[in-house]
């Protein structure tokens, strides 16, 4: 795929932007287009380069895999800062989501533990209930015996 130079309007002299270099390598075309749009929103002309082919862009800063998003060499530092900030924000967002998921899981585990816990108080309550039941039964038997005696 040839660079999309029509996707931006260079500010200033066009010769100033004649040397494009990779600012980032995207995993796929969709990600490359997102980077291009973000850079363009920050007034940095950006184009999506070719992954393979004859028009290989000049390599920059050790990045060599994926679909290159090209920017003018004079704006590479600014573009790199924007990309770094974007990736940092995404990482923070991902960590926040992970933290929330972990908290939810811990809350669910705590609730399960609270339901499953069988403590001595529960045992005492059950024993008291059984004792009360036995006492009630004995009282009923006693009353019946007394009634029978009275009838005789």
């Amino acid at each position: 795929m040839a660079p999309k130079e029509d996707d931006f309007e260079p500010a200033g002299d066009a010769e100033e932007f004649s040397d494009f270099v990779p600012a980032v390598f995207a995993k796929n075309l969709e990600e490359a287009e997102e980077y291009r749009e973000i850079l363009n929103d920050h007034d940095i002309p950006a184009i999506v380069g070719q992954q393979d082919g004859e028009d290989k862009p000049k390599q920059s800063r050790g990045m060599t895999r994926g679909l290159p998003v090209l920017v003018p060499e004079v704006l590479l530092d600014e573009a790199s800062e924007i990309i770094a900030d974007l990736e940092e924000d995404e990482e923070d967002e991902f960590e926040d989501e992970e933290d929330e998921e972990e908290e939810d899981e811990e809350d669910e585990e705590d609730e399960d533990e609270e339901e499953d816990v069988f403590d001595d108080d529960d045992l005492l309550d059950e024993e008291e209930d059984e004792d009360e039941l036995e006492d009630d039964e004995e009282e009923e038997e006693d009353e019946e015996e007394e009634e029978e005696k009275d009838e005789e």
Side-chain angles (χ1 to χ4, degrees), residues 2 26 41 47 62-63 75 91 102-103 116 120 128 133 142-143:
D41 289 345
I47 54 177
M63 299 176 283
L75 298 174
E91 187 175 300
E102 285 176 11
E103 286 175 9
D116 293 343
D120 291 339
E128 288 174 0
L133 202 78
D142 288 346
E143 287 178 4

Side-chain angles (χ1 to χ4, degrees), residues 1 8 12 32 52 58 61 75 77 93 98 108 113-114 134 136 142 149 151:
M1 179 171 156
F8 66 91
D52 294 323
K58 179 171 36 168
R61 299 190 184 182
L75 298 174
D77 289 337
E93 189 175 300
E98 277 186 342
E108 287 175 11
E113 284 177 14
E114 287 175 8
E134 287 176 3
D136 288 346
D142 288 346
K149 285 182 182 177
E151 288 176 6

Side-chain angles (χ1 to χ4, degrees), residues 18-87:
S18 62
D19 240 2
F20 278 76
V21 295
V24 67
F25 284 83
K27 296 175 192 162
N28 53 46
L29 182 59
E30 183 180 328
E31 184 179 55
E33 289 294 333
E34 287 176 15
Y35 279 119
R36 184 189 58 76
E37 287 177 22
I38 290 166
L39 291 167
N40 285 341
D41 289 345
H42 286 85
D43 297 324
I44 297 177
I47 54 177
V48 176
Q50 293 180 331
Q51 193 164 13
D52 294 323
E54 298 171 16
D55 297 334
K56 285 199 173 200
K58 179 171 36 168
Q59 297 299 320
S60 173
R61 299 190 184 182
M63 299 176 283
T64 58
R65 299 198 181 247
L67 195 58
V69 178
L70 307 170
V71 298
E73 189 169 20
V74 296
L75 298 174
L76 179 60
D77 289 337
E78 187 178 342
S80 296
E81 286 178 25
I82 291 168
I83 292 166
D85 288 345
L86 175 69
E87 289 174 347

Side-chain angles (χ1 to χ4, degrees), residues 91-110:
E91 187 175 300
D92 288 345
E93 189 175 300
F94 180 73
E95 286 175 1
D96 289 345
E97 288 174 8
E98 277 186 342
D99 289 345
E100 286 176 15
E101 287 175 8
E102 285 176 11
E103 286 175 9
D104 289 346
E105 287 174 7
E106 287 174 5
D107 288 346
E108 287 175 11
E109 287 174 8
D110 288 346

